[in-house]
Amino acid sequence: MLKPLGDRIIIEKTEKEQTTASGIVLTDSAKEQSNEGKVVAVGPGKRLEDGTRLSVDVAVGDQVVYQQYAGTEVKRDKETYIILSEDDILAVIEQ
């Protein structure tokens, strides 16, 4: 598993099947990229000048929306993850 550093967050991309208005299922290459995902790991937080840490506002298991072109995509063990800074998270989706 990946262990994030600082205020980094690791997200597992949430894939949604996309269809056209007429019901045609779009292929991966034709889909608009989703910017939703599930938080799978959270770093310890940003280190402040006095040595303390500012905790991250999301938790493992949260479903989040992140900026469209943010982060770095990483593939591990057949899974695709996005590593983002906390600032790239736009919202937590409440269930």
PDB file of all heavy atoms in Angstrom, residues 4 22 30 45 47 55 64 75 88 93:
ATOM      1  N   PRO A   4       1.029   8.106   2.220  1.00  0.00           N
ATOM      2  CA  PRO A   4       1.246   9.496   1.835  1.00  0.00           C
ATOM      3  C   PRO A   4       2.054  10.269   2.875  1.00  0.00           C
ATOM      4  O   PRO A   4       2.001   9.965   4.063  1.00  0.00           O
ATOM      5  CB  PRO A   4      -0.169  10.055   1.717  1.00  0.00           C
ATOM      6  CG  PRO A   4      -0.989   9.186   2.592  1.00  0.00           C
ATOM      7  CD  PRO A   4      -0.344   7.834   2.594  1.00  0.00           C
ATOM      8  N   SER A  22     -29.432   8.640 -25.532  1.00  0.00           N
ATOM      9  CA  SER A  22     -30.143   7.546 -26.196  1.00  0.00           C
ATOM     10  C   SER A  22     -29.814   6.183 -25.588  1.00  0.00           C
ATOM     11  O   SER A  22     -30.297   5.162 -26.063  1.00  0.00           O
ATOM     12  CB  SER A  22     -29.807   7.540 -27.691  1.00  0.00           C
ATOM     13  OG  SER A  22     -28.417   7.355 -27.869  1.00  0.00           O
ATOM     14  N   ALA A  30     -13.916   7.592 -24.794  1.00  0.00           N
ATOM     15  CA  ALA A  30     -14.908   8.623 -25.117  1.00  0.00           C
ATOM     16  C   ALA A  30     -15.491   9.293 -23.876  1.00  0.00           C
ATOM     17  O   ALA A  30     -16.130  10.322 -23.975  1.00  0.00           O
ATOM     18  CB  ALA A  30     -16.044   8.001 -25.931  1.00  0.00           C
ATOM     19  N   GLY A  45      -0.307  15.220   7.828  1.00  0.00           N
ATOM     20  CA  GLY A  45      -0.641  16.641   7.818  1.00  0.00           C
ATOM     21  C   GLY A  45       0.576  17.505   7.562  1.00  0.00           C
ATOM     22  O   GLY A  45       1.713  17.047   7.629  1.00  0.00           O
ATOM     23  N   ARG A  47       3.481  20.041   8.151  1.00  0.00           N
ATOM     24  CA  ARG A  47       4.301  20.412   9.306  1.00  0.00           C
ATOM     25  C   ARG A  47       4.424  21.932   9.356  1.00  0.00           C
ATOM     26  O   ARG A  47       4.794  22.575   8.380  1.00  0.00           O
ATOM     27  CB  ARG A  47       5.678  19.781   9.220  1.00  0.00           C
ATOM     28  CG  ARG A  47       6.506  20.010  10.490  1.00  0.00           C
ATOM     29  CD  ARG A  47       7.859  19.365  10.432  1.00  0.00           C
ATOM     30  NE  ARG A  47       7.824  17.939  10.279  1.00  0.00           N
ATOM     31  CZ  ARG A  47       7.705  17.055  11.273  1.00  0.00           C
ATOM     32  NH1 ARG A  47       7.582  17.492  12.515  1.00  0.00           N
ATOM     33  NH2 ARG A  47       7.714  15.770  11.028  1.00  0.00           N
ATOM     34  N   SER A  55      -3.575  18.892  11.015  1.00  0.00           N
ATOM     35  CA  SER A  55      -4.223  17.675  10.528  1.00  0.00           C
ATOM     36  C   SER A  55      -5.024  17.917   9.253  1.00  0.00           C
ATOM     37  O   SER A  55      -5.450  19.038   8.958  1.00  0.00           O
ATOM     38  CB  SER A  55      -5.133  17.074  11.603  1.00  0.00           C
ATOM     39  OG  SER A  55      -6.170  17.970  11.901  1.00  0.00           O
ATOM     40  N   VAL A  64     -14.938  11.885  -2.098  1.00  0.00           N
ATOM     41  CA  VAL A  64     -14.602  13.286  -2.322  1.00  0.00           C
ATOM     42  C   VAL A  64     -14.659  13.661  -3.799  1.00  0.00           C
ATOM     43  O   VAL A  64     -14.623  12.806  -4.674  1.00  0.00           O
ATOM     44  CB  VAL A  64     -13.192  13.621  -1.779  1.00  0.00           C
ATOM     45  CG1 VAL A  64     -13.133  13.444  -0.274  1.00  0.00           C
ATOM     46  CG2 VAL A  64     -12.123  12.809  -2.468  1.00  0.00           C
ATOM     47  N   LYS A  75      -0.332   3.642 -10.690  1.00  0.00           N
ATOM     48  CA  LYS A  75      -0.945   2.312 -10.799  1.00  0.00           C
ATOM     49  C   LYS A  75      -0.142   1.341  -9.943  1.00  0.00           C
ATOM     50  O   LYS A  75       1.067   1.252 -10.073  1.00  0.00           O
ATOM     51  CB  LYS A  75      -0.975   1.849 -12.244  1.00  0.00           C
ATOM     52  CG  LYS A  75      -1.896   2.709 -13.079  1.00  0.00           C
ATOM     53  CD  LYS A  75      -2.062   2.189 -14.468  1.00  0.00           C
ATOM     54  CE  LYS A  75      -2.966   3.177 -15.204  1.00  0.00           C
ATOM     55  NZ  LYS A  75      -3.528   2.671 -16.388  1.00  0.00           N
ATOM     56  N   ASP A  88      -6.205  20.243  -3.153  1.00  0.00           N
ATOM     57  CA  ASP A  88      -6.859  19.832  -4.397  1.00  0.00           C
ATOM     58  C   ASP A  88      -8.230  19.212  -4.162  1.00  0.00           C
ATOM     59  O   ASP A  88      -8.974  18.974  -5.105  1.00  0.00           O
ATOM     60  CB  ASP A  88      -5.979  18.834  -5.149  1.00  0.00           C
ATOM     61  CG  ASP A  88      -4.688  19.465  -5.632  1.00  0.00           C
ATOM     62  OD1 ASP A  88      -4.705  20.665  -5.962  1.00  0.00           O
ATOM     63  OD2 ASP A  88      -3.667  18.765  -5.672  1.00  0.00           O
ATOM     64  N   ILE A  93     -18.393  14.273  -0.239  1.00  0.00           N
ATOM     65  CA  ILE A  93     -19.779  13.921  -0.581  1.00  0.00           C
ATOM     66  C   ILE A  93     -20.408  13.251   0.643  1.00  0.00           C
ATOM     67  O   ILE A  93     -19.942  12.201   1.080  1.00  0.00           O
ATOM     68  CB  ILE A  93     -19.815  12.971  -1.791  1.00  0.00           C
ATOM     69  CG1 ILE A  93     -19.169  13.654  -2.997  1.00  0.00           C
ATOM     70  CG2 ILE A  93     -21.251  12.537  -2.093  1.00  0.00           C
ATOM     71  CD1 ILE A  93     -18.947  12.729  -4.174  1.00  0.00           C
TER      72      ILE A  93
END
